Amino acid sequence: MSIVLGVMEEGLIYAIMALGVYITYKILDFPDLSVDGTFPLGAAVTVMLILKGVNPFLTLFLAFLTGAFAGCITGIIHVKFKVRDLLSGIIVMTALYSLNLRIAGKANVPIFSQETIFENAWLESMVSEALEPYLVALILLVIVVVCKILLDLYLNTRSGFLLRAAGDNDVLVTSLAKDKGMVKILGLAIANGFASLAGCVYCQQKGFFEISTGTGTMVIGLASVIIGMKLLKRFNSVKATTAVITGSVVYKACVSIAIAMGMAASDLKLITAVLFLVILVVSNRTEGKVKIAGKKGK
Amino acid sequence: MLELSHIHKYYNAGTVNEMCLFQDFSLTIQDGEFVSVVGSNGSGKTSMLNLICGSIPLDSGSIRIGGKDITNMPEFKRQRKIGRVYQNPAMGTCPSMTILENMSLADNKGKPFDLRPGTNRQRVDFYREQLKSLGLGLEDKMDVKVGVLSGGQRQAMALLMSTMTPIEFLILDEHTAALDPKTAEIIMQLTGKIVEEKHLTTIMVTHNLRYAVEYGNRLLMMHQGHAVMDRAGAEKTNTQIDEILEKFNEISIECGN
C-alpha cells in the first residue's frame, strides 16, 4: 500500500511539470530543456522563502511566477535573438544551475522543521488521524486537479486558441495579425511556471532542496506526455491534460517496479533514460507512418 | 491604393550566387482592382507578394498602402489589413483544431486574444451560415478537426477565414494550384463571389491563364522582375488567352526554355 501511495505522490508531483511539458512539446512543438533548470528553481525559491517565514501556500504562486519568468527568458533568447530552440533551453538551464545555488545558498538545504503545505498547524487541527497516511496524496491531487482545470480553461480562451494555433500552424498566427514570437514566449512562460510549481511542491514534500533534482526533468516530462497520450489515445472523450497526468503516474509506477525488481536507487537516472528510450521506440513503431503523414501536412 | 516604388531586391547579395530579382520595380494598384498576375517560375510573382506582406525584406524602395509607408512594418502588423491565401491548403487553417475553433480564431482577427471564451456562442449560427455558403456540407461538421478535411475543403475554409473580418487587400498566392481541376473551379467561383461582395482589392498570382483572363479587371505578366504586360479595363476584357500564351512563349524562348 505504501508503495502505491509513494507512486501516486511522486507521479502527481511530476504530473504538474508534465502539464508544462505538454504545452511546449505537444502544443508548441518546442523541445524545452529549461525545465531541467526551472524545476529546481521552484524548489530553491521555495526553501529560501520558507526559511524566511513566508506562508508555504504563498510559495506555490511565487514559485510559479519565478518559473514563468525564467520561461520568458528562454522564449526571448529564442524569439528575439534567433537562437535555436534546443540551445535556448540549454543556455537557460545551465545558467539556472548557478542561480539556483545562489538562491538556495548551498547544494542541499533541509526544511524538515518548517511548516509546509503538507505539514502545518492548520492542517493538523483539521484532519483526523485516520486520513493522515493519505494526506499528502490528497493534497497533491487537489493541486494537480486545480492545475489541470485551469490549464483546460485557459486552452479554451482566445489566448489559448492562439497558443494552440502557434504550434499547429504559425503562419496562421501571422495571418491573424499576431506576433507568433510573443505567443511562443507566453507558452514557454506557462510551461516553466508549471515546472517550477512542481519543484516547489516536490521540495516541500521531500523536506529539502537538492541541486541535482532537476537533472532529467524534461525526460520524465516527455515520457509522461508520450505514455499518457499513447495509452488514452483511443478514448476520445479523455482530455489531453488528463492523459498527461495518468502518464506521469504510470511512468513513476514503471520506475518503482524496476527498483522493486532489484535495481539500486542510484540507478534511477539510468532507469529513467532506458525507460524513455523504450517508450520512444515503441511509440515510433506504432505511429511512425502516421507521424510522417502529419508532418507533410505542415 | 497600394504603391510599390523603386523596389530593389537581390537574393544572396554579396556571394557568387547573387541574383537580382527586382531592379527599380514600381507598381501601383488602385482600390477595387482585381489584379491577376501570371508569369514563369522565378519571374518574381510570389516574391512580389512576399514583399507586400513583409514576409521577406526588400533592399531598397518603398511600399505604401493608402499613402502610409509600411516598408518597415513587421509582417504580422501588416496582416491586420491583408488577407492571404497560400498555395498549400494547410497554411490557412489549424489541422488539430476543429472547424468551429478555426472559424472563431479567424473571427477574432483584429481583436484582442484575451481570456474570454475562445468561441463566442452567439456567433456560431453566423459561422454555420458562412460555411453553408461554400456548399461543401462543412456546416454539419463544426466539431470535426480540420486536419481530416480534403485540400479543397481546407482551401475553401482558408478563403472564408482570411476574408471574414474587414480587410483591404486580398492576396491569393496560386491558391488553386494544389487542387484538382473541379475543386479549383469551385474555389475560383467562390473567390470571385467573395471579392465582388466585399469589394476587396485583390492580387491573384496564378499559373492558370484561363483564370487570369476570366477573373479580375487587370492583368499583369511578370518576367525577370518586370511587368512585361499590364492591361486594365476594356483592354483587359478584350484580351484573349491566345494572346497571353503567345507573349508567354515569347519570353520563355528568350530564356531558352
Side-chain angles (χ1 to χ4, degrees), chain A residues 26-27 80 153-183 186 236 294 296-298, chain B residues 75-77 79-80 82 84 86 88 90-98 100-102 104-120 154 161:
Chain A
K26 267 287 167 194
I27 299 184
K80 301 289 174 199
L153 285 175
Y154 172 72
L155 289 176
N156 269 316
T157 63
R158 293 178 192 204
S159 173
F161 271 26
L162 204 60
L163 184 71
R164 287 158 64 193
D168 227 7
N169 176 6
D170 59 3
V171 173
L172 184 71
V173 176
T174 309
S175 296
L176 292 169
K178 281 283 158 189
D179 187 352
K180 62 187 176 201
M182 290 307 287
V183 182
L186 179 68
N236 271 332
K296 256 187 189 168
K298 274 190 176 179
Chain B
E75 183 181 10
F76 73 91
K77 282 191 184 158
Q79 299 284 340
R80 183 70 64 94
I82 296 176
R84 185 170 183 179
Y86 295 83
N88 180 352
M91 302 274 260
T93 48
C94 279
S96 74
M97 297 174 79
T98 65
L100 180 59
E101 287 170 337
N102 269 280
S104 311
L105 265 177
D107 196 22
N108 207 41
K109 177 171 173 174
K111 299 186 202 105
F113 282 84
D114 49 23
L115 295 179
R116 282 176 298 165
T119 303
N120 183 349
R154 286 201 219 182
M161 283 167 64

Side-chain angles (χ1 to χ4, degrees), chain A residues 28-61:
Chain A
L28 280 182
D29 200 11
F30 188 111
D32 178 30
L33 264 176
S34 35
V35 287
D36 272 31
T38 45
F39 184 84
L41 171 68
V45 168
T46 305
V47 291
M48 189 262 288
L49 289 172
I50 284 185
L51 289 174
K52 284 210 167 113
V54 175
N55 184 311
F57 288 97
L58 193 59
T59 62
L60 296 174
F61 298 100

Side-chain angles (χ1 to χ4, degrees), chain A residues 124-204:
Chain A
E124 251 157 60
S125 68
M126 290 289 291
V127 179
S128 66
E129 289 227 339
L131 210 59
E132 208 130 295
Y134 311 103
L135 190 60
V136 173
L138 278 176
I139 295 172
L140 284 169
L141 193 65
V142 170
I143 295 174
V144 170
V145 168
V146 168
C147 287
K148 176 203 137 53
I149 291 174
L150 284 178
L151 181 57
D152 280 339
L153 285 175
Y154 172 72
L155 289 176
N156 269 316
T157 63
R158 293 178 192 204
S159 173
F161 271 26
L162 204 60
L163 184 71
R164 287 158 64 193
D168 227 7
N169 176 6
D170 59 3
V171 173
L172 184 71
V173 176
T174 309
S175 296
L176 292 169
K178 281 283 158 189
D179 187 352
K180 62 187 176 201
M182 290 307 287
V183 182
K184 273 191 188 169
I185 294 174
L186 179 68
L188 282 165
I190 300 173
N192 283 288
F194 277 124
S196 178
L197 174 61
C200 163
V201 175
Y202 180 85
C203 79
Q204 297 200 44

Side-chain angles (χ1 to χ4, degrees), chain B residues 235-251:
Chain B
E235 203 189 353
K236 152 82 167 66
T237 319
N238 295 327
T239 305
Q240 302 293 320
I241 289 192
D242 296 342
E243 203 178 331
I244 307 175
L245 203 57
E246 202 174 304
K247 183 86 185 165
F248 210 102
N249 282 330
E250 217 173 280
I251 57 175

Side-chain angles (χ1 to χ4, degrees), chain A residues 236-297:
Chain A
N236 271 332
S237 56
V238 174
K239 284 212 170 79
T241 44
T242 316
V244 168
I245 294 166
T246 317
S248 174
V249 175
V250 171
Y251 178 75
K252 281 291 164 191
C254 294
V255 172
S256 56
I257 288 169
I259 289 179
M261 279 165 73
M263 303 284 284
S266 56
D267 293 331
L268 194 64
K269 302 288 184 200
L270 179 66
I271 300 170
T272 305
V274 172
L275 213 64
F276 183 51
L277 179 66
V278 170
I279 292 157
L280 282 182
V281 171
V282 169
S283 72
N284 270 350
R285 277 268 165 88
T286 52
E287 204 185 23
K289 285 171 192 164
V290 184
K291 217 171 186 183
I292 290 164
K295 285 280 171 200
K296 256 187 189 168

Side-chain angles (χ1 to χ4, degrees), chain A residues 205-223:
Chain A
Q205 195 250 339
K206 297 281 175 202
F208 58 84
F209 161 80
E210 226 288 312
I211 185 71
S212 68
T213 47
T215 316
T217 307
M218 193 220 190
V219 171
I220 300 174
L222 282 181

